[in-house]
Amino acid sequence: MADDQNLVLLDTDIGNDIDDALCLAYLLAQPRCELLGITTVTAEPELRARLASVLCRTAGRSVPILPGAADPLAGPAVQGPPPQATALARWEHDTGFPAGEAVEFLRQTIRAHPGDVTLLAIGPLTNVALLFASDPEIPAMLRSLVLMGGAFGAVAGPEWNIHCDPEAAARVYAAPVARHRSVGLDVTTRVRMDAAAFLRRCDVPLLEPVADMSTSWFDDRPEVTFHDPLAGAVIFDPSLVSFATGEVTVTRTPGPEAGSTAWAAAAPSATPSTAIPTATPGATPDRTGPHQVAVDVRPAAFLDHYFRTVAAFAANGSG
C-alpha cells in the first residue's frame, strides 16, 4: 500500500439522514481512498445497499456492497426504513446483493490486509459488534476504527447511531482497537449548511443524486449537518479535527437515554471527567486511554476541503 493511500471499509445506514450519502460521495472522490467495500446496516439494509450503488455507479466505480444486519442486537428497532429510497426510481442502481455475507466480507477483507484497513462506521454499530464477536482478533488487526457517534460534552441525550443499538456500541467500545476515534455531536453540529446553499454546491455529477435524495430530508428541515463526512475526512486530513484521549462508556439501560455516552479524560490529566479539555486543532495527545474523541473542529476548513475534493474529482474527468 502506498504511504499516502488509505484502505477503507464503510459501514453505513445510508438513506435516512442525507449525511451518509455525502460521506460516501466524498470517499469515492477522495484520490487517497481505496474503498474496499460497503456494508449497510439497520432497517431495510438492501434498500440502503441500492442507494449506495447509485453513488458508486455515478462515480464509475465498482465497489462490493453487502447488506448487513437489519435489527439491533438487543431491544426494539428504533430506526425506520430509508425514505431516500424513493429516489431509486430515478437513478440506475444495482438490485442483487449477497445475502447474509456482510460480516464475513468485513472479516476476510481485514484479514487480507492486516494493520492496513480503516473501518469507518457511520451508522448503528450492529455489524461492527457482530464482526468483533465473529473473530476476536479482528479489532487488533485494524489500522483504525473511526466512528461518527456519541455525544461527549455539552450535547444532551444520546446520539442517534449509538441510541439505535446501545448494546452493540458498548461491545465495540470495549474492543481492543489500536486506534479508536469517535467524531461526535460535540463537533459535527458545528459544521452546517442551509438547504439553498447546499443545493447550489451540488452542481457536480457526483452530488446530483445526493441532491435528489436530500428532497425527503429537507421536507421538514432547513439545513444539512455534515456529521458523517467530517468523520470520513478526518481519515485523510487529521488537521481538521483535534482529539483527546480517555475512556468512553455507553448506557445500555433501555429507555430514552439508552445509548448515552460518557467520556472520562485519560490520566494524568487534571481535567474533571465530566468536561472536555481544550485542544489545538490538528493536535493528537499521547495515547494514554483506550479511546480518542473529537473535541474541536475547523468548520470552514472542512467545508472547503469537502467541496474541493468533490470538485476535483469532476474536473479530473471522473463522475
Side-chain angles (χ1 to χ4, degrees), residues 57-144:
R57 284 194 176 209
T58 302
R61 297 278 299 280
S62 177
V63 180
I65 304 173
L66 296 91
D71 301 311
L73 294 186
V78 176
Q79 183 152 264
Q84 292 165 30
T86 57
L88 290 171
R90 298 183 291 276
W91 298 91
E92 292 186 357
H93 61 276
D94 298 338
T95 57
F97 304 94
E101 299 180 20
V103 170
E104 181 62 15
F105 169 79
L106 293 172
R107 191 186 75 83
Q108 291 185 10
T109 303
I110 293 165
R111 280 199 165 273
H113 306 279
D116 286 337
V117 174
T118 293
L119 176 55
L120 173 62
I122 57 175
L125 293 173
T126 316
N127 286 339
V128 182
L130 291 171
L131 168 67
F132 289 177
S134 73
D135 189 340
E137 294 182 352
I138 286 294
M141 298 179 73
L142 288 169
R143 179 180 185 180
S144 63

Side-chain angles (χ1 to χ4, degrees), residues 15-315:
N16 288 75
D17 193 328
I18 193 59
D19 62 327
D20 290 77
L22 281 166
C23 182
L24 176 53
Y26 169 82
L27 295 177
L28 292 166
Q30 172 57 252
R32 294 190 291 120
C33 176
E34 185 175 343
L35 187 57
L36 300 178
I38 301 165
T39 53
T40 59
V41 66
T42 197
E44 301 287 354
E46 183 173 298
L47 282 180
R48 299 179 193 279
R50 294 186 183 196
L51 287 166
S53 76
V54 168
L55 291 173
C56 292
R57 284 194 176 209
T58 302
R61 297 278 299 280
S62 177
V63 180
I65 304 173
L66 296 91
D71 301 311
L73 294 186
V78 176
Q79 183 152 264
Q84 292 165 30
T86 57
L88 290 171
R90 298 183 291 276
W91 298 91
E92 292 186 357
H93 61 276
D94 298 338
T95 57
F97 304 94
E101 299 180 20
V103 170
E104 181 62 15
F105 169 79
L106 293 172
R107 191 186 75 83
Q108 291 185 10
T109 303
I110 293 165
R111 280 199 165 273
H113 306 279
D116 286 337
V117 174
T118 293
L119 176 55
L120 173 62
I122 57 175
L125 293 173
T126 316
N127 286 339
V128 182
L130 291 171
L131 168 67
F132 289 177
S134 73
D135 189 340
E137 294 182 352
I138 286 294
M141 298 179 73
L142 288 169
R143 179 180 185 180
S144 63
L145 174 65
V146 178
L147 310 180
M148 190 283 120
F152 305 103
V155 179
E159 182 272 327
W160 182 253
N161 288 338
I162 308 299
H163 179 65
C164 283
D165 197 341
E167 178 64 29
R171 296 185 190 186
V172 169
Y173 276 103
V177 178
R179 172 173 283 187
H180 184 151
R181 287 182 157 179
S182 298
V183 182
L185 293 182
D186 311 85
V187 298
T188 62
T189 49
R190 293 173 55 190
V191 187
R192 302 172 181 265
M193 184 175 286
D194 68 68
F198 167 74
L199 292 172
R200 285 195 297 270
R201 300 299 298 267
C202 293
D203 59 350
V204 295
L206 186 53
L207 293 183
E208 289 174 1
V210 177
D212 189 14
M213 294 174 191
S214 72
T215 302
S216 62
W217 180 252
F218 290 134
D219 279 345
D220 55 1
R221 299 171 184 84
E223 62 185 6
V224 59
T225 304
F226 287 73
H227 305 288
D228 297 338
L230 181 60
V234 165
I235 298 170
F236 305 94
D237 187 351
S239 73
L240 297 171
V241 171
S242 57
F243 290 86
T245 57
E247 183 175 1
V248 174
T249 55
V250 180
T251 299
R252 308 189 202 198
T253 307
E257 296 303 308
S260 294
T261 46
W263 181 79
S269 172
T271 305
S273 62
T274 56
I276 295 291
T278 58
T280 303
T284 300
D286 291 339
R287 185 170 179 78
T288 55
H291 308 121
Q292 298 180 12
V293 300
V295 295
D296 202 1
V297 62
R298 298 191 293 141
F302 163 75
L303 290 172
D304 177 70
H305 171 86
Y306 181 90
F307 287 107
R308 184 162 30 87
T309 299
V310 176
F313 179 73

